[in-house]
Every structure is written in structure tokens, then in C-alpha cells.
């Protein structure tokens, strides 16, 4: 055991860390510190989340009545388009990678920063430029194509700000690509001495797989959207059949990116959950290699199943069959991960903290989301379920139940590392419970509606669906509370939270061996890794855990300590 | 709710075949959901910190176990896949004897036409117990015909015919939705299918669909009128053939100048009328003008119906190429 930087009960010396290293606006806007850029991203995507959430609220209010409450058809269509575009392109895709990945990957691998710090800052500026353009275009004129921009509606018929929003999405795409390249280079080249590939945290594996998808997929959607803009502006026929184009080609190109994009959203979350389950079960993950390789398998197979969105689009039956069988195959690595997480808890020592509750919530909701996906991968059932609320429920279980539960859990888990402060644990548990409950109340009824035949993107709907819609809207208001409470206590904790110390969870990753908040270059001395990932003590007696409400106990472990083993 | 079922009313042969697959998948899913939830909760309680449960022999890998829980979902998945692929083959293979009805989607209505010329909007009358083939096209953006009671969903594209078929099993009134977002009034692009007893349907057809019959002509008769008005026969009808004969054309394979072979289906015939230069049949010149802006989708369907009706041996409405009259003759 090495240096103790904090003595229990002693007042701490003010230390220099990344947050107080500079106080000017310029020190933030021109920073190349991955941790500060992560914070910039966190603030930006939180704003995006609440913009997308406001649009969702409008949708849910509108759907409490079969003929709407206050909006025109056009406004309603612009609302669900804005909801989808903001939530997917501006919130979910950047969420975990650009915030938690950005902050943690260099620390987890014992590096001072990402491989290309200025590219990292550029990626945030691209994100901001694209997002502001898209949001301003959506608020001033709106866009009514849905986030899928299907042609020829988007390229010929829509009377809205399609081109500006596409430009926004195009620019944001490059911010994603910059982040992906940065992660790949960093993970390959900047690992600390002794940190072999199979000693990497699973979080890093998940981000490696995600980055591969980002780098290979995003250019395709960028070009596809650019072609829509070209067709719209210059009437050059690419997709519009009246000009000799092929609208189904658009769908192939769009889903070639957008299906793998669902893995861009879920894989990082799986990485987060792997970290939390192991830390709070106080043991090595069950089947480390299987979890790591299943991430790569998902990244590879994920590129071969895009046509399962197109079984009824008019594509060939034989093509449909190939896409269907591959979709069943790609489901297997996800199942394997779920079983491995479950097995990790077996003979563990489960510590019920708020992040662990989010991780358990993730497993439950992701299981439901994944299994319902099979109903859409099976062609015969998809013929009935395509574009109904069953699809909406399915992808919300994956993207909100999975990805956002992971993101929220990860924020709680690494909040003490990022800010040096603990959030209030009992409020956090309450919020996790409310989120889980509100979540199911919002989206479970949508499965039933969809099975009964309620079609998505419908402003008006038959009266028989009203009861379920009202239930879903009621659930959404509970869910909203589940998101607003953490916003409040996270802000509160910045001033009033207990000091966390370097390692409040007594967790085993390298990021926990440095100060909280970390110093600008992360480590005083580059660590030399001589141990496997996730080495937790065998016996409970050797593994004393702090009372999270007792600052002295939290601070009892200092910086620079390698995990016990 | 005594008669609540997860799926809506079941009113087609495909629904009868799909629903058992669906319920088997629900049971399999429930099995895995219950398994995972039970284990997670059980482990969380039993192995909570401070509990006395033994942790001896905890291991962090077990290749046999990994293989088992990779193989079981994979095998179950493939079984479901084969079953579903078989049903997909069923719902995508139109029976030979199906009655054809034509569907045009446009922002924001469904327009249907029966072979005898009867038309209707947002309503579709069909007989029970007969396979019905819908030949569908969109006039503008992509639409999608969705009838939950029949469990059918098929995109309706501009510029290309797509197909759906069903055999209704019981009389009644069932909802039609547009299943693909198509613009402002998408949610009002709905309608009803009326399934009638066959005799009742015949009576309905004969009476011109109660109200909406706009023409006394059947579809192919209407197509022939257009054919005559546009003088298609001036090229397609004569001996020194400047253009291919249209008799017996439907369903054959056409050899193109660029060496490709295409099957003569509705989409090919439509394209040959609106964009004739795209595919030139071997032995002919690209001299046919495009009729793109002169014909509505409706009229195109009628022309296609007419061309499909041209069979050798029938009393030829247009002269055959070989047995043809002196130049300039015919009609
Ligand atoms: C891209 C998404 C859509 C697809 C694929 C689609 C498909 C179709 C199709 C195939 C028709 C055929 C009608 C016919 O056979 O005559 C149709 C009609 C119609 N659609 Fe859509 N539609 C879409 C979106 C919408 C939207 C967004 C609206 C309303 C805002 C809408 C409203 C209508 C209406 C009102 C009709 C005609 C109803 C009538 O016959 O009076 N559709 N749609
Ligand atoms: Cu997908």
C-alpha cells in the first residue's frame, strides 16, 4: 500500500485538479483536457435531453385524446420528428461515449489524455455547431419527416427545414467520427505498461467496439443524408422515382448506418453495466473473454442485419430471409452478456448502491427489450408489428431502458470521481426506483397497443386505444420526475455533497487510483500494471466498505493505492 | 375483460397461421424473462453483503456453461426463424387463383379499383374465403397498407408495384391504416375492409358498389379506350413491327439490347410506358415517347389490365403482328 493523501478527519489541503486548474471561460472553451471536454459534452447533451424530453411531453399530452388536445397535425408531426432527431443524434449517440468514455478511457488505461486532444476539442465544436443548427432549424421552421428522413417525402414533398436539419446531423456525424478515431488510437497506443488487452476494463472493450461501428458507419449516413439534400436542392434524381431514383435504396443506406447505430447507443451502456455489476458484486466478471468478444461480435454482425427494418418495404423475399437469420444470430451475444452479468452476481457480495440499482434495472429492461426485438426479427410476426407501437416500445426498452439506465447509473457511479463529491444516496435510490416504475408504466402499455394494431406516428387514433394511451402518458409524467430529481441533487451535491475521496466504492479500476477530481494529467506517475482487471478481495473481512454517509470513512482510502489483492 | 387477447381479431388465413408462432414466442420470451429476473433477484438477496451464504468455490469462468448458454438461445432462435420464414413464404406467395384488386396510395387517401371497374376510396369490399391479391402503387410518397385483423402490412411505393394478398376467413368490417409515415394527415389515411359473403359481394360488384361506380367499363375496357386514344397501336399493332407485339406479353421474359433479361410484370409494363428508354427490347429502337405526364396511376393500371387481357386466340382487339393487315390498315 502506498501513500495516504488524506487522513481521516483531517481538513484537506486544497489541491489542484482539473476543475480548478483554470477559472476563465477560455480555460474551458479552449481546453484540450479530455475531462473538461467530457464536462462540456455533459452540459450540452443534458440540454439536448431536456429539449427532446419537452417534445416527448408534447407528444404524450397530445395522445391523451384520440383527436389531439392542442396541436395541429403539422405541429404534432414536427414534435415527434424533433423528439427523434434530438434524442438520437444529439443525445443518445454522444451520451456515454462523449461524456463517460471521454472522461474515463484515458484514466482507465493509465494515460494522460486521449491520443489527439485537439481533435477531441474539435469534436465538441462540431457537435455544438451541428446541434445548434439543427435545433434552431427545428424550432424556427420545424422538420416533419421523422428522424428517418424517408424519401421521396423528405427529398421532394416535405415543406419544412429538411436541408438545414440534415446539415446539422451531417456535422454532428463528424463529431462522432472524430471521437471514434480518437478512442481507437488511444486504446491501441496509449495503454499503461503492463496493461495488456485482456487486462482492460470491459468498459474500454465496449467503447473500442463502439468506435469501430462509428468510424465505419457514420460516413455512410452522412453521404446518404447529403444525397437527400442534393435531390431536394438541385433536383438531381437519386431516390425519387419520378426522377429515375430508387426510394428503397435510401432505406438500405439509411439502415446500413442506423441499425449499427443502435449498437452505438447500447454497447457503451453494456460497458458501464459491466463495471458496476463487478464493483458492487465485489468480484471478477463471469466470463470476461466472452463479454469482451461479444462486444466485438455485436459490432461485426450488427453491420449485416440492417434489412430487418425493411421486410415489408418491397425488398426481395430472399434478402429478407438472410437479414432475418442474421438478426437471430446477432441476438445471441447480447443474451450471452446478460447471462454473464447474472452469473457475476452468483456468490458475490452484493452492495446495494444507487448505481447498482440502475445496473439491475438495466438487466431487466434490456432483457425485455432484447426479447421483443426477436418478434421484429422474425419476418412473419414483423409483417404484423412493423411500424406499430410495439416497435416504439421495443426500441425504448433498449434505448431508454437500456442505454439511459446505463448512462444514469454510470453518472452516479463516476460522479464522485468527476466532481469529488457524493450525491445523496437515498435520494438517488428513490430516483432509480421512480425511473424504473415510470419507465414500465410508460412503455409497457405500448407493447399491447402495438399488438392491437396502433400505428406509430399517428396524431389521431381510434378511440379503443385511449385507455392505454392515457396510462402511458401518466407513466411518462412519473418518468419525468425520475429524471428531474437527479438533475436537482447532482447540482446540489456540487456544493453540499460529502467529499468522496479517491475511491469511495473501493473499486478496482485504475481511474480510482488517482484523486477525485483527478489532476489535469490524471496520474502523478504513470501506473505500471501488474494485475488482472477486477481483482477484488476474496473475503468480506478483507474488503471493508465505507458507510456512504460518513465522510471520514469515504476518505479513508487515499490516492495512489493499487487495489487490494 | 373476458375475451381480451393480445392480438386483435383474427380474420385471415395468415392470421390463423401467424398467431400460434406469436404465442409460442411469447412463451419462450416469458421463460427467459422469468429466468433472468428470478436469478437476478435471488442472487441479489442471497448474496447480499453480510449474508451468511457460502461463497466457496466461486469461479469466474466456465467454458462449458458459456457454450451451453450460447447454444440454447441460438438453437431456439433458429427454430423460430425457420418457422417464421416458412410463414413469410406463405404470405409472400400469391395463390394462382387470387382475385386482383388495385390500390393506389396518395397523400392522404387509399383508392381502390376492382377489375370490373368499380372504384372506392378508403374502403375495400372483398369476398370471404377467396384469396385476394392487392396490386399497389403510390402516386407520391411511400405509403403502407396495414390491416391488423389480417396481420398484413406492405409498403406502397411510388414508381413500382408492390403486392399483398390475403384470404379473409370471416365477414365483418376491419380497419385499414396507412402504416408508413406519409406527411401531414398520415393519421387520417385510414379506412375499412368490408368482408362479405361471396354471393353478397357479387351483388355488390354488379350494382356498381352501391354508389361509387363512375364508369360502366371494366378495367381492361377502360384500358383499351386509352390505348386507342393514345394510338399505341400505331406502333405496337402493325406488321413492319416498329414495336414489340403486346399479345401474350405479360408473364414472358423480355431480352434487352444490353443483354439483360427481364420478366414482364406490372412494374416493367408501367416503366415501359412512362420511361421507355430505360429498357429497350432486343431488335427495336428507342423511338417510343414517354407518356409520363399524360397518364394517371389509375389510367396506367387500366392500360396494364388491358395488356394483361391480350391473349392469342381471343378475338383480337388489335391485329397480330404476323397475321396482320396491309400497312396502315387495322383499326
Ligand atoms: C410514408 C408513410 C405513409 C405511407 C407509406 C402511406 C401509405 C399510403 C398508401 C399506400 C395509401 C394508399 C391509398 C390508396 O390506396 O388510395 C395512403 C393513403 C393515404 N394516406 Fe398514407 N401513407 C403514409 C403516410 C401518411 C400520412 C403521414 C398521412 C397523414 C398525415 C397519410 C394519410 C393518408 C391518407 C389520408 C390517405 C388516403 C386516405 C383516403 O383514401 O382518403 N398517409 N397512404
Ligand atoms: Cu435494427
Amino acid at each position: 500500500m502506498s501513500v495516504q493523501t488524506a487522513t481521516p478527519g483531517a481538513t484537506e489541503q486544497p489541491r489542484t485538479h482539473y476543475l480548478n486548474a483554470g477559472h476563465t471561460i477560455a480555460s474551458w472553451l479552449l481546453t484540450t483536457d479530455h475531462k473538461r471536454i467530457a464536462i462540456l459534452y455533459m452540459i450540452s447533451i443534458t440540454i439536448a435531453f431536456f429539449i427532446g424530453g419537452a417534445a416527448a411531453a408534447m407528444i404524450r399530452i397530445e395522445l391523451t385524446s384520440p383527436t389531439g388536445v392542442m396541436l395541429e397535425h403539422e405541429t404534432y408531426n414536427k414534435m415527434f420528428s424533433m423528439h427523434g432527431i434530438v434524442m438520437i443524434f444529439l443525445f443518445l449517440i454522444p451520451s456515454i461515449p462523449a461524456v463517460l468514455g471521454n472522461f474515463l478511457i484515458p484514466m482507465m488505461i493509465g494515460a494522460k489524455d486521449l491520443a489527439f486532444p485537439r481533435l477531441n476539442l474539435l469534436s465538441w465544436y462540431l457537435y455544438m455547431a451541428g446541434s445548434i443548427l439543427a435545433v434552431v432549424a427545428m424550432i424556427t421552421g420545424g422538420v416533419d419527416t421523422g428522424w428517418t428522413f424517408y424519401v421521396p417525402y423528405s427529398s421532394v414533398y416535405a415543406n419544412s427545414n429538411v436541408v438545414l436539419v440534415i446539415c446539422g446531423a451531417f456535422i454532428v456525424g463528424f463529431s462522432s467520427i472524430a471521437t471514434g478515431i480518437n478512442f481507437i488510437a488511444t486504446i491501441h497506443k496509449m495503454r499503461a505498461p503492463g496493461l495488456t488487452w485482456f487486462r482492460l476494463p470491459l468498459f474500454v472493450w465496449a467503447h473500442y467496439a463502439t468506435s469501430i461501428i462509428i468510424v465505419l458507419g457514420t460516413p455512410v449516413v452522412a453521404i446518404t443524408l447529403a444525397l437527400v439534400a442534393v435531390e431536394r436542392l438541385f433536383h438531381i434524381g437519386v431516390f425519387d422515382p419520378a426522377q429515375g431514383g430508387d426510394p428503397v435504396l435510401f432505406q438500405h443506406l439509411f439502415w446500413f448506418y442506423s441499425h449499427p447505430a443502435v449498437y452505438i447507443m447500447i454497447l457503451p451502456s453494456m460497458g458501464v453495466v459491466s463495471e458496476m455489476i463487478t464493483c458492487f458484486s465485489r468480484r471478477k466478471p463471469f466470463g470476461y473473454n466472452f463479454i469482451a468478444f461479444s462486444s466485438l461480435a455485436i459490432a461485426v454482425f450488427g453491420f449485416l442485419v440492417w434489412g430487418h427494418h425493411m421486410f415489408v418495404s418491397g425488398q426481395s423475399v430472399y434478402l429478407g430471409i438472410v437479414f432475418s437469420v442474421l438478426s437471430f444470430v446477432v441476438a445471441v451475444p447480447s443474451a450471452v452478456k446478460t447471462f454473464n452479468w447474472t452469473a457475476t452476481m452468483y456468490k458475490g457480495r452484493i452492495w446495494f448502491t444507487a448505481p447498482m440499482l440502475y445496473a439491475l434495472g438495466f438487466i431487466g429492461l434490456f432483457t425485455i427489450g432484447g426479447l421483443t426485438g426477436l418478434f421484429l426479427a422474425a419476418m412473419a410476426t414483423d409483417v404484423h408489428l412493423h411500424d406499430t407501437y410495439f416497435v416504439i416500445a421495443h426500441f425504448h426498452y433498449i434505448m431508454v431502458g437500456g442505454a439511459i439506465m446505463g448512462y444514469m447509473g454510470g453518472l452516479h457511479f463516476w460522479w464522485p470521481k468527476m466532481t469529488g463529491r457524493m450525491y445523496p444516496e437515498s435520494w438517488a435510490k428513490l430516483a432509480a426506483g421512480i425511473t424504473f416504475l415510470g419507465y414500465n408504466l410508460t412503455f409497457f402499455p405500448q407493447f399491447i397497443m402495438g399488438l392491437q394494431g396502433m400505428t406509430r406516428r399517428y396524431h389521431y387514433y381510434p378511440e379503443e386505444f385511449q385507455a392505454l394511451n392515457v396510462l402511458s402518458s401518466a407513466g411518462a409524467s412519473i418518468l419525468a420526475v425520475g429524471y428531474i430529481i437527479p438533475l436537482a441533487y447532482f447540482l446540489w451535491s456540487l456544493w453540499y455533497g460529502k467529499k468522496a475521496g479517491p475511491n469511495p466504492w473501493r473499486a478496482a479500476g485504475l481511474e480510482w487510483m488517482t484523486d477525485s477530481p483527478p489532476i489535469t494529467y490524471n496520474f502523478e506517475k504513470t501506473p505500471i500494471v501488474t494485475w488482472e482487471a477486477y481483482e477484488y478481495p476474496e473475503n468480506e473481512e478483507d474488503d471493508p466498505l465505507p458507510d456512504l454517509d460518513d465522510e471520514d470513512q469515504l476518505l479513508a482510502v487515499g490516492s495512489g493505492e493499487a487495489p487490494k489483492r | 375483460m373476458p375475451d381480451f387477447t393480445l392480438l386483435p381479431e383474427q380474420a385471415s388465413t395468415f392470421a390463423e397461421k401467424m398467431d400460434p408462432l406469436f404465442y409460442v414466442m411469447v412463451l419462450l420470451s416469458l421463460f427467459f424473462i422469468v429466468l433472468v429476473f428470478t436469478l437476478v433477484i435471488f442472487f441479489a438477496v442471497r448474496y447480499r453483503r453480510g449474508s451468511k451464504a457460502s461463497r466457496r468455490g466461486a469461479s469466474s469462468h466456465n467454458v462449458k456453461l458459456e457454450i451451453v448458454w450460447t447454444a440454447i438461445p441460438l438453437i431456439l432462435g433458429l427454430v423460430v426463424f425457420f418457422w417464421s420464414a416458412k410463414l413469410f413464404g406463405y404470405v409472400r406467395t400469391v395463390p394462382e387463383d387470387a382475385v386482383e384488386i388495385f390500390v393506389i396510395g396518395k397523400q392522404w387517401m387509399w383508392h381502390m379499383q376492382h377489375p370490373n371497374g368499380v372504384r372506392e376510396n378508403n374502403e375495400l369490399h372483398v369476398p370471404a374465403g377467396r384469396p385476394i391479391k392487392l396490386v399497389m402503387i403510390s402516386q407520391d410518397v411511400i405509403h403502407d397498407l396495414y390491416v391488423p385483423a389480417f396481420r398484413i402490412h406492405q409498403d406502397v411505393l411510388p414508381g413500382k408495384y408492390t403486392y399483398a394478398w390475403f384470404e379473409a376467413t370471416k365477414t365483418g368490417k376491419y380497419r385499414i391504416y396507412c402504416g408508413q409515415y406519409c406527411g401531414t394527415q398520415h393519421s387520417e389515411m385510414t379506412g375499412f375492409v368490408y368482408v362479405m359473403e361471396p354471393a353478397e359481394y357479387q351483388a355488390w360488384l354488379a350494382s356498381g358498389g352501391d354508389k361509387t361506380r363512375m364508369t360502366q367499363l371494366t378495367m381492361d375496357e377502360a384500358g383499351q379506350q386509352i390505348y386507342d386514344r393514345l394510338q399505341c397501336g400505331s406502333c405496337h399493332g402493325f406488321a413492319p413491327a416498329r414495336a414489340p407485339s403486346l399479345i401474350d406479353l405479360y408473364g414472358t421474359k423480355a431480352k434487352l439490347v444490353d443483354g439483360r433479361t427481364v420478366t414482364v410484370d406490372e412494374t416493367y409494363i408501367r416503366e415501359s410506358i412512362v420511361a421507355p428508354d430505360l429498357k429497350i427490347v432486343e431488335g427495336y429502337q428507342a423511338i417510343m415517347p414517354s407518356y409520363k405526364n399524360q397518364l394517371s396511376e389509375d389510367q396506367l393500371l387500366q392500360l396494364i389490365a388491358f395488356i394483361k387481357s391480350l391473349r392469342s386466340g381471343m378475338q383480337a382487339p388489335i391485329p397480330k403482328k404476323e397475321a396482320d393487315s396491309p400497312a396502315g390498315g387495322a383499326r
Side-chain angles (χ1 to χ4, degrees):
Chain A
M1 295 300 113
S2 49
V3 284
Q4 291 274 109
T5 48
T7 325
T11 21
E12 223 186 320
Q13 296 295 314
R15 285 178 59 105
T16 311
H17 50 71
Y18 83 102
L19 287 173
N20 65 11
H23 292 285
T24 58
I25 301 268
S27 76
W28 281 92
L29 295 184
L30 299 177
T31 183
T32 53
D33 183 343
H34 66 102
K35 299 181 290 302
R36 284 192 159 206
I37 296 171
I39 300 293
L40 293 176
Y41 259 117
M42 180 164 71
I43 295 166
S44 327
I45 70 163
T46 305
I47 295 169
F49 181 72
F50 281 96
I51 294 174
M58 299 294 272
I59 297 172
R60 283 315 328 164
I61 291 170
E62 207 52 21
L63 290 179
T64 53
S65 153
T67 51
V69 177
M70 57 196 178
L71 303 180
E72 306 275 320
H73 280 328
E74 275 197 13
T75 322
Y76 178 83
N77 295 348
K78 286 174 180 174
M79 279 302 152
F80 72 66
S81 304
M82 178 155 106
H83 170 68
I85 292 166
V86 170
M87 285 303 197
I88 293 196
F89 293 116
L90 309 189
F91 173 72
L92 257 186
I93 290 180
S95 62
I96 296 181
V99 178
L100 298 176
N102 224 339
F103 196 100
L104 294 164
I105 287 176
M107 301 182 64
M108 286 183 167
I109 65 174
K112 289 183 165 51
D113 205 317
L114 286 173
F116 309 114
R118 275 175 292 191
L119 182 67
N120 197 17
L121 181 63
L122 175 67
S123 107
W124 181 72
Y125 276 101
L126 288 171
Y127 170 84
M128 289 307 283
S131 305
I132 291 172
L133 178 61
V135 168
V136 168
M138 282 188 286
I139 288 173
T140 54
V143 66
D144 69 338
T145 59
W147 78 280
T148 47
F149 296 105
Y150 269 25
V151 290
Y153 185 71
S154 65
S155 65
V156 179
Y157 290 85
N159 293 310
S160 49
N161 280 343
V162 178
V163 171
L164 284 178
V165 174
I166 281 179
C167 283
F170 186 88
I171 298 170
V172 171
F174 282 90
S175 88
S176 238
I177 295 172
T179 303
I181 291 175
N182 223 336
F183 284 177
I184 293 176
T186 306
I187 296 168
H188 270 277
K189 299 310 259 184
M190 306 200 31
R191 282 171 285 124
L195 189 58
T196 60
W197 281 93
F198 290 97
R199 286 176 176 174
L200 285 176
L202 292 164
F203 180 92
V204 176
W205 274 102
H207 277 77
Y208 184 73
T210 307
S211 305
I212 291 174
I213 303 176
I214 289 175
V215 170
L216 294 180
T218 316
V220 177
V221 79
I223 294 300
T224 310
L225 292 181
L227 288 173
V228 171
V230 164
E231 182 164 287
R232 202 174 157 84
L233 289 175
F234 308 115
H235 308 289
I236 295 173
V238 182
F239 302 125
D240 176 19
Q243 305 173 59
D246 181 355
V248 179
L249 174 65
F250 169 84
Q251 296 174 24
H252 280 292
L253 293 172
F254 179 81
W255 290 114
F256 179 80
Y257 164 77
S258 294
H259 186 76
V262 310
Y263 298 112
I264 296 177
M265 302 174 220
I266 196 68
L267 274 171
S269 190
M270 292 170 157
V272 169
V273 167
S274 299
E275 298 301 310
M276 298 189 301
I277 298 266
T278 46
C279 173
F280 297 116
S281 301
R282 316 304 297 168
R283 102 193 208 32
K284 268 191 167 51
F286 190 88
Y288 173 100
N289 292 357
F290 286 86
I291 300 181
F293 280 114
S294 67
S295 288
L296 294 182
I298 287 171
V300 173
F301 282 102
F303 271 107
L304 305 176
V305 299
W306 75 87
H308 66 203
H309 297 269
M310 300 169 59
F311 292 141
V312 302
S313 69
Q315 84 180 354
S316 121
V317 172
Y318 300 102
L319 214 48
I321 288 174
V322 174
F323 283 126
S324 176
V325 72
L326 288 170
S327 304
F328 277 94
V329 173
V330 77
V332 172
S334 298
V336 168
K337 277 185 196 273
T338 306
F339 295 139
N340 278 300
W341 291 319
T342 309
T344 301
M345 294 169 65
Y346 175 65
K347 298 202 173 177
R349 295 189 302 276
I350 316 294
W351 185 13
F352 291 100
T353 60
M356 184 62 169
L357 294 187
Y358 278 106
L360 298 181
F362 172 101
I363 295 182
L365 300 181
F366 178 74
T367 304
I368 297 176
L371 286 164
T372 51
L374 297 178
F375 291 78
L376 305 170
M379 293 166 286
T381 38
D382 184 63
V383 171
H384 174 54
L385 296 172
H386 180 77
D387 271 358
T388 63
Y389 264 80
F390 188 90
V391 177
I392 307 283
H394 154 69
F395 73 68
H396 280 86
Y397 265 80
I398 300 284
M399 302 203 305
V400 186
I404 301 187
M405 286 300 242
Y407 177 64
M408 292 299 289
L411 273 186
H412 286 85
F413 186 50
W414 285 293
W415 190 256
K417 181 50 61 182
M418 298 168 90
T419 65
R421 302 281 184 165
M422 292 304 288
Y423 59 81
E425 180 68 16
S426 37
W427 277 100
K429 282 180 176 154
L430 178 72
I434 291 176
T435 309
F436 187 80
L437 188 81
Y439 181 81
N440 282 296
L441 206 54
T442 309
F443 293 105
F444 201 83
Q446 296 184 3
F447 279 126
I448 317 255
M449 272 186 244
L451 291 171
Q452 299 280 321
M454 165 117 184
T455 313
R456 75 191 275 200
R457 295 178 174 171
Y458 263 39
H459 183 207
Y460 290 0
Y461 58 83
E463 271 172 25
E464 65 249 38
F465 297 120
Q466 187 171 11
L468 288 167
N469 268 304
V470 169
L471 194 60
S472 177
S473 297
S477 46
I478 298 179
L479 185 58
V481 174
Y483 289 131
I484 289 171
I485 297 175
L487 181 72
Y489 64 65
F490 276 144
L491 288 173
W492 175 91
S493 77
L494 292 178
W495 289 275
Y496 308 108
K498 297 225 163 24
K499 287 207 172 58
N503 192 356
W505 312 120
R506 309 299 188 249
L510 286 184
E511 78 270 29
W512 301 107
M513 288 175 53
T514 185
D515 290 356
S516 304
I519 56 174
T520 297
Y521 290 110
N522 299 344
F523 299 96
E524 305 271 5
K525 228 170 55 196
T526 299
I528 295 170
V529 181
T530 54
W531 57 88
E532 304 298 312
Y534 308 108
E535 295 213 332
Y536 287 96
E538 188 102 344
N539 297 312
E540 187 153 351
E541 307 83 72
D542 309 329
D543 187 25
L545 295 178
D547 175 347
L548 295 177
D549 292 324
D550 185 333
E551 202 162 85
D552 293 341
Q553 289 189 28
L554 288 171
L555 293 173
V557 169
S559 158
E561 286 187 39
K564 295 183 180 171
R565 66 194 60 82
Chain B
M1 284 183 287
D3 45 44
F4 176 82
T5 53
L6 281 178
L7 291 169
E9 191 172 4
Q10 198 185 58
S12 74
T13 53
F14 178 61
E16 287 170 3
K17 289 175 190 291
M18 191 211 87
D19 292 6
L21 168 63
F22 171 82
Y23 287 113
V24 167
M25 289 177 74
V26 170
L27 289 180
L28 284 174
S29 303
L30 279 178
F31 169 77
F32 281 105
I33 289 171
V34 170
L35 179 75
V36 170
F37 276 58
T38 312
L39 288 178
V40 166
I41 293 170
F42 176 73
F43 292 163
V45 173
R46 182 170 165 82
Y47 298 110
R48 69 191 181 279
R49 261 178 72 71
S51 81
K52 296 274 175 289
S54 158
R55 269 79 165 178
R56 294 261 298 271
S59 92
S60 61
H61 57 92
N62 182 335
V63 176
K64 266 193 209 141
L65 196 56
E66 298 279 357
I67 290 173
V68 168
W69 70 37
T70 305
I72 291 177
L74 184 63
I75 292 166
L76 287 175
L78 290 179
V79 169
V80 169
F81 159 75
F82 277 112
W83 185 354
S84 122
K86 190 163 156 266
L87 293 187
F88 191 62
Y90 174 81
V91 76
R92 296 304 304 156
T93 312
V94 185
E96 295 275 319
D97 58 342
V99 178
E100 274 188 358
I101 297 177
F102 301 89
V103 177
I104 298 169
K106 62 182 179 203
Q107 289 174 322
W108 290 277
M109 66 181 294
W110 297 100
H111 177 77
M112 330 281 185
Q113 191 162 154
H114 296 258
N116 77 342
V118 169
R119 306 167 185 217
E120 41 186 344
N121 289 335
N122 292 339
E123 289 189 350
L124 176 62
H125 289 77
V126 293
R130 288 287 306 275
I132 309 290
K133 176 184 185 185
L134 302 175
V135 178
M136 309 192 285
I137 195 157
S138 162
Q139 210 168 291
D140 37 53
V141 301
I142 301 176
H143 300 273
D144 178 295
L145 186 100
Y146 178 35
V147 184
F150 299 162
R151 317 280 188 268
I152 60 164
H153 226 133
Q154 177 60 49
D155 277 9
V156 178
L157 306 173
K160 182 181 168 192
Y161 294 97
T162 55
Y163 310 86
W165 82 274
F166 60 87
E167 182 179 328
T169 49
K170 56 180 194 188
T171 58
K173 178 179 171 185
Y174 307 105
R175 286 186 184 279
I176 300 174
Y177 297 97
C178 173
Q180 180 67 273
Y181 175 67
C182 61
T184 310
Q185 293 173 61
H186 169 59
S187 69
E188 290 179 276
M189 186 165 161
T190 57
F192 288 99
V193 185
Y194 294 88
V195 178
M196 315 167 91
E197 293 298 345
E200 206 188 338
Y201 173 71
Q202 287 308 332
W204 179 87
L205 263 190
S207 74
D210 306 334
K211 51 183 192 288
T212 48
R213 183 155 193 186
M214 297 170 187
T215 163
Q216 294 305 308
L217 302 177
T218 62
M219 280 187 77
D220 50 328
E221 285 165 0
Q224 183 172 4
Q225 279 197 344
I226 300 165
Y227 182 92
D228 290 343
R229 179 164 58 76
L230 295 176
Q231 307 253 316
C232 308
S234 66
C235 290
H236 286 281
F238 299 112
R242 290 197 283 163
S245 163
L246 304 180
I247 295 171
D248 285 335
L249 177 66
Y250 181 76
T252 58
K253 300 233 185 273
K255 202 153 190 308
L256 305 183
V257 286
D258 59 11
R260 282 181 296 166
T261 306
V262 294
T263 301
V264 179
D265 57 10
E266 285 88 352
T267 296
Y268 170 78
I269 296 176
R270 182 185 178 281
E271 185 187 273
S272 301
I273 300 169
V274 299
D277 293 353
L278 288 182
K279 298 197 176 87
I280 303 295
V281 179
E282 202 171 37
Y284 295 91
Q285 303 291 317
I287 54 170
M288 176 166 160
S290 161
Y291 293 86
K292 185 168 165 183
N293 298 317
Q294 303 175 34
L295 293 166
S296 65
E297 291 297 344
D298 221 3
Q299 293 170 318
L300 283 164
L301 277 169
Q302 289 162 348
L303 267 178
I304 291 169
F306 171 61
I307 292 168
K308 286 162 75 172
S309 74
L310 297 175
R311 293 294 170 198
S312 50
M314 67 189 284
Q315 242 202 337
I318 50 170
K320 270 193 180 174
K321 216 175 7 176
E322 327 77 286
D324 207 353
S325 48
R331 353 182 48 158

